[in-house]
Amino acid sequence: RTQWPEKFDLARLNKIKAQIKELAFDVEYMLKPVVLADIRIPPELVKAHVDDSLRPFSLDEEFENPRKWPVYAGMDVGKKVNPSHIAVFVQHPRSGHLVEIYEKWIDHMPYGQQAKLVNRIVKHFGVWRFLYDSTRAELDDRHLSKKVRGQTFKKNVKGHMAVLMDMRFEAEPGEPTIVLLGPKDSRQIRQISMVRKDLSAYETEEGHADSYWSIALAVYACEMGGSFVGGGDAGAIFRQDSGQRHA
């Protein structure tokens, strides 16, 4: 409905929106701040997927996964100035939901040490597939686990990952969604909403949407399914519990 139908009825507003495009329409006619109007996933939507009751797992305690549910991880690798971020998720085999079990910001850590941390995380959580941003090849040739692979951020790949993120955050009831670790005002949650609709990012003192891309890589790893190496029929889990996807 409109607030001023005598001057701007729905037909006219829809025509204006088609002419000036969505971003300008949201700012000028819907009175949204330009920053919020251009954000890919609004803060309110991100916070709706946070479960403050979840307790993050630690690398100093045993991680029990007796039913061998799939575990996926992603890492946005930062430059010397910008941070790196790692996000680890377990997937429920029936619903397909991704639930975050571990996340970590890495500030000013040498790349060699980052590679050792990645290998430790893969071993500790039994990660099936771990993707990291290899656009600048900082972690390439650093003796990473065979479960870890680099992903170059080409335009089409970033677009595909963004769509996968949209599907998780905008999931309808019964569709696979995503559950994030809290608190709702954490650095991870804030940085997810730093990505613009064109997939560029706002840069702050905390980073430049690093947690958005680490989570997107984990979601992308989940879509690929399974593991990079052999060692049994990983697809049996899906065939037994859901029948919807084979590794």
Side-chain angles (χ1 to χ4, degrees), residues 71 73 75 86 111-132 134 139-151 226-230:
V71 180
M75 178 182 186
I86 297 175
Y111 293 129
Q113 293 184 27
Q114 292 191 39
K116 292 179 180 178
L117 176 61
V118 168
N119 287 339
R120 183 184 178 191
I121 289 172
V122 169
K123 182 178 180 180
H124 184 80
F125 293 110
V127 177
W128 286 29
R129 186 186 294 265
F130 188 122
L131 293 179
Y132 69 92
S134 63
L139 297 186
D140 294 0
D141 302 320
R142 292 186 182 272
H143 307 290
L144 291 169
S145 165
K146 293 182 179 179
K147 303 290 182 69
V148 182
R149 292 288 174 86
Q151 177 64 61
S227 176
F228 290 114
V229 295

Side-chain angles (χ1 to χ4, degrees), residues 100-120:
E100 191 173 31
I101 57 175
Y102 177 86
E103 66 103 4
K104 182 175 180 61
W105 288 93
I106 304 171
D107 295 281
H108 313 300
M109 180 185 288
Y111 293 129
Q113 293 184 27
Q114 292 191 39
K116 292 179 180 178
L117 176 61
V118 168
N119 287 339
R120 183 184 178 191

Side-chain angles (χ1 to χ4, degrees), residues 1-18:
R1 62 186 180 88
T2 72
Q3 297 296 318
W4 193 2
E6 299 82 4
K7 184 173 180 62
F8 295 101
D9 59 22
L10 286 176
R12 183 177 182 187
L13 287 174
N14 285 329
K15 184 177 181 180
I16 293 172
K17 184 175 182 179

Side-chain angles (χ1 to χ4, degrees), residues 59-77:
L59 294 178
D60 298 322
E61 62 180 316
E62 183 179 0
F63 176 69
E64 297 182 0
N65 186 10
R67 299 184 65 183
K68 306 298 182 185
W69 285 7
V71 180
Y72 300 102
M75 178 182 186
D76 184 71
V77 183

